[in-house]
């Protein structure tokens, strides 16, 4: 995913949380700092720069590529029925691979080269909760909705040690981490981030099986479907709202999650069944299957994926499935981080 796509998903997720009416204070917190969405949702690429390990979770079913025979290791089988049971809510990508035979085989992330994407997601989610607990006064009270008994009494009569909250993190720092978390969640939905075919390593004698230009060309195509930078870089003088910005897509955009019932977002945000690490692993398993079904041969670039009306229609469908699931997953995991603190 590139910068326009990342910023748009973060802003669309914010609107979805607002539409859910489940966490108005979370919406208020992030809304004060929407001007940071453009840069914040892109910091993992520009400042953290962990693309070779933090953004990926590369999987395969080939024993040769994994340097380990997994063909008889049934515990690496996670078929559609199992994923469907563990992933709550409407997962369009999972429905796309419902009959994909690759999910019936053992598959796993490469033990050395697979990447740490699920680790990034759970670490950031817990960090947000920790930052809220250590936030500057009065955010800690405001967000939680109640004050400790000590603060309900005459403050000057209380012991200083009972008043100290060791304030460290500002509301802006916390909002920024929500945008950073969005980046990793979105990248988990990019199929080629989860497919070992799109990876090569001289050190491990691992040969790349997909052309190097395919991945960036798909992301370039997606980038053209979202508002331009000047529309997504928000500032106090804008006369438009976040709702208007996320719905103002270019004419040639294939994104239809707000105009087509098939891809419509659900304002009822379901809680994840498991923790963020397991949730992200299941998301990446689904993305792996999407990659294997959709990119069924080594296309040179995106033009070969859309060179006929049939392929273009599938490209459109897969694209909408990916961005539908990405927006809902960001909203779902934002809510999980928030609720960990307030509940």
């Amino acid at each position: 995913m590139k910068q326009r796509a990342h910023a748009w998903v973060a802003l669309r997720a914010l609107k979805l949380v607002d539409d859910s009416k489940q966490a108005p204070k979370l919406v208020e917190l992030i809304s004060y700092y929407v001007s940071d969405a453009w840069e914040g949702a892109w910091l993992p690429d520009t400042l953290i720069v962990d693309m070779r390990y933090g953004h990926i979770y590369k999987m395969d079913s080939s024993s040769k590529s994994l340097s380990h025979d997994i063909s008889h290791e049934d515990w690496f089988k996670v078929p559609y029925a199992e994923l469907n049971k563990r992933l709550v809510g409407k997962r369009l990508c999972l429905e796309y691979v419902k009959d994909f035979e690759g999910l019936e085989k053992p598959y796993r992330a490469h033990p050395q080269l697979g990447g740490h994407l699920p680790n990034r997601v759970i670490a950031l989610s817990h960090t947000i909760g920790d930052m809220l607990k250590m936030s500057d006064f009065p955010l800690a009270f405001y967000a939680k909705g109640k004050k400790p008994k000590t603060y309900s009494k005459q403050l000057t009569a209380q012991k200083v040690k009972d008043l100290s909250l060791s304030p460290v993190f500002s509301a802006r720092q916390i909002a920024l981490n929500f945008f950073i978390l969005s980046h990793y969640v979105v990248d988990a939905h990019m199929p080629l981030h989860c497919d070992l075919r799109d990876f090569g390593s001289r050190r491990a004698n691992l040969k790349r099986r997909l052309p190097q230009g395919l991945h960036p060309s798909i992301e370039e195509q997606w980038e053209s479907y979202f508002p331009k930078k000047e529309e997504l870089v928000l500032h106090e003088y804008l006369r438009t709202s976040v709702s208007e910005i996320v719905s103002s897509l270019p004419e040639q955009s294939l994104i239809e999650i707000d105009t087509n019932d098939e891809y419509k977002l659900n304002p009822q945000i379901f809680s994840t069944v498991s923790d963020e690490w397991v949730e992200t692993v299941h998301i990446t398993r689904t993305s792996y299957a999407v990659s294997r079904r959709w990119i069924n041969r080594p296309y040179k670039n995106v033009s070969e994926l859309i060179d006929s009306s049939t392929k273009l229609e599938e490209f459109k469908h897969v694209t909408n499935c990916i961005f539908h699931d990405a927006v809902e997953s960001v909203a779902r995991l934002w809510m999980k981080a928030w609720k960990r603190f307030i509940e």
Side-chain angles (χ1 to χ4, degrees):
M1 310 289 188
K2 293 190 178 295
Q3 198 160 9
R4 286 159 64 177
H6 274 292
W8 184 87
V9 171
L11 293 172
R12 188 59 187 84
L14 174 60
K15 182 183 183 313
L16 184 59
V17 176
D18 194 19
D19 291 343
S20 77
K21 304 187 186 307
Q22 294 181 40
K25 289 183 178 179
L26 170 59
V27 174
E28 186 175 357
L29 169 66
I30 298 178
S31 294
Y32 274 118
Y33 304 101
V34 289
S35 59
D36 288 324
W38 175 262
E39 293 294 346
W42 195 237
L43 280 175
D45 276 20
T46 55
L47 187 60
I48 300 172
V49 195
D50 62 346
M51 284 82 81
R52 294 287 291 181
Y53 58 95
H55 289 54
I56 61 172
Y57 202 62
K58 302 282 191 178
M59 299 187 193
D60 208 338
S61 60
S62 167
S63 296
K64 180 180 178 181
S65 298
L66 295 169
S67 303
H68 172 61
D69 185 8
I70 65 168
S71 60
H72 304 294
E73 298 180 352
D74 288 346
W75 56 88
F76 286 127
K77 287 184 182 179
V78 187
Y80 165 82
E82 191 65 29
L83 289 172
N84 192 43
K85 183 169 63 176
R86 298 180 185 182
L87 290 168
V88 298
K90 186 178 180 181
R91 310 283 179 136
L92 296 183
C93 288
L94 186 57
E95 291 308 302
Y96 174 73
V97 298
K98 185 174 184 176
D99 300 317
F100 175 60
E101 65 278 3
L103 284 176
E104 301 299 325
K105 302 176 183 178
Y107 61 98
R108 64 163 297 178
H110 192 288
Q112 285 82 42
L113 307 172
H116 305 295
L117 180 51
N119 297 344
R120 282 295 198 193
V121 171
I122 192 170
L124 277 164
S125 181
H126 279 268
T127 296
I128 287 170
D130 295 342
M131 292 173 76
L132 282 163
K133 292 176 184 177
M134 296 185 286
S135 55
D136 281 343
F137 178 88
L139 176 63
F141 297 160
Y142 167 77
K144 191 116 180 176
K146 60 181 180 180
K147 295 181 181 180
K149 291 180 180 179
T150 302
Y151 279 80
S152 301
K153 301 174 183 177
Q154 185 179 359
L155 295 181
T156 55
Q158 305 307 309
K159 296 176 182 177
V160 173
K161 71 179 185 66
D162 293 332
L163 296 174
S164 177
L165 292 179
S166 301
V168 177
F169 297 106
S170 68
R172 184 184 182 190
Q173 289 172 308
I174 296 168
L176 196 62
N177 270 274
F178 275 106
F179 294 134
I180 293 172
L181 173 60
S182 170
H183 182 106
Y184 290 102
V185 176
V186 173
D187 272 356
H189 290 81
M190 185 352 170
L192 291 176
H193 279 242
C194 308
D195 190 342
L196 192 60
R197 294 180 303 166
D198 189 47
F199 193 85
S201 172
R202 292 181 182 178
R203 176 172 58 85
N205 196 28
L206 181 66
K207 187 177 180 180
R208 173 184 285 275
R209 286 164 282 166
L210 291 177
Q212 196 162 359
L214 177 61
H215 185 155
S217 72
I218 293 172
E219 294 183 333
E220 285 285 356
Q221 188 73 22
W222 284 341
E223 194 76 345
S224 69
Y225 299 155
F226 296 103
K228 294 181 179 179
K229 178 180 179 179
E230 52 267 30
E231 299 171 67
L232 290 168
V233 177
L234 310 182
H235 53 78
E236 61 182 311
Y237 302 109
L238 283 179
R239 296 182 180 273
T240 54
S241 66
V242 169
S243 294
E244 291 170 325
I245 290 165
V246 296
S247 62
S248 300
L249 300 172
E251 286 187 15
Q252 78 278 10
S253 177
L254 297 184
I255 304 298
E256 296 184 350
I257 67 173
D258 288 317
T259 57
N260 187 329
D261 286 344
E262 183 178 3
Y263 309 119
K264 191 174 182 179
L265 295 167
N266 187 354
Q268 181 182 357
I269 301 174
F270 293 90
S271 298
T272 59
V273 174
S274 50
D275 68 34
E276 297 90 333
W277 188 91
V278 176
E279 172 80 5
T280 308
V281 169
H282 294 334
I283 290 171
T284 55
R285 282 172 171 155
T286 303
S287 290
Y288 157 79
V290 170
S291 180
R292 293 303 174 102
R293 178 187 165 180
W294 181 34
I295 304 172
N296 52 13
R297 64 181 179 82
Y299 298 99
K300 185 179 296 184
N301 53 50
V302 72
S303 63
E304 294 185 4
L305 274 174
I306 57 175
D307 62 7
S308 69
S309 58
T310 302
K311 285 183 181 178
L312 179 59
E313 193 59 33
E314 183 173 20
F315 185 88
K316 175 183 175 180
H317 177 61
V318 174
T319 295
N320 277 283
C321 290
I322 288 169
F323 283 98
H324 166 279
D325 288 6
V327 170
E328 288 201 355
S329 290
V330 169
R332 189 178 291 116
L333 288 163
W334 277 1
M335 291 282 287
K336 190 172 183 73
W338 180 256
K339 286 185 175 181
R340 177 183 289 111
F341 170 65
I342 64 170
E343 293 179 356

